[in-house]
Amino acid sequence: MKKQVLDAIGLLCPLPVLKAAKLLKTMNNGDILDIMATDPGSKEDFKNFCLAKGYQLIKNTELDGILSYQIKK
C-alpha cells in the first residue's frame, strides 16, 4: 500500500475532485490518497465521486477550515 497527498487548498469546485481523479488513475488498488481542501462544496463532491467510482472514503473531517479526506482506491 502506497500513500499520496493532494493539496487542493484554495481550489474551487470541481478542481479538487478533478485533480484527485487524475492522481487516483495513477495509483494501484489499495493505495491511499490524502486530500486537503478548503472548498465547502468538496464534501458532497468527494462523497458522490467515491460512490460513483467505487472508492472508499475513509476519512472526512474538518479542522480550522481545512477539510481532510482520505480515499482508498
Side-chain angles (χ1 to χ4, degrees), residues 17 20 24 31-35 42-61 67-73:
V17 171
L24 282 160
D31 287 352
I32 303 287
L33 178 60
D34 287 317
I35 305 156
S42 66
K43 290 179 189 179
E44 276 299 307
D45 290 345
F46 277 114
K47 184 175 113 182
N48 293 330
F49 169 72
C50 287
L51 283 172
K53 294 291 186 179
Y55 300 143
Q56 184 181 359
L57 184 59
I58 298 171
K59 183 173 95 172
N60 178 359
T61 60
L67 301 158
S68 297
Y69 305 97
Q70 193 171 65
I71 295 174
K72 183 176 182 179
K73 180 172 180 179

Side-chain angles (χ1 to χ4, degrees), residues 1-64:
M1 176 182 69
K2 191 168 132 186
K3 269 192 160 189
Q4 292 201 40
V5 176
L6 171 63
D7 182 351
I9 292 173
L11 299 179
L12 298 176
C13 236
L15 286 176
V17 171
L18 292 175
K19 287 187 175 284
K22 185 177 181 181
L23 194 51
L24 282 160
K25 283 182 183 178
T26 70
M27 298 170 69
N28 295 317
N29 288 337
D31 287 352
I32 303 287
L33 178 60
D34 287 317
I35 305 156
M36 296 170 298
T38 48
D39 183 3
S42 66
K43 290 179 189 179
E44 276 299 307
D45 290 345
F46 277 114
K47 184 175 113 182
N48 293 330
F49 169 72
C50 287
L51 283 172
K53 294 291 186 179
Y55 300 143
Q56 184 181 359
L57 184 59
I58 298 171
K59 183 173 95 172
N60 178 359
T61 60
E62 182 174 357
L63 181 64
D64 296 330

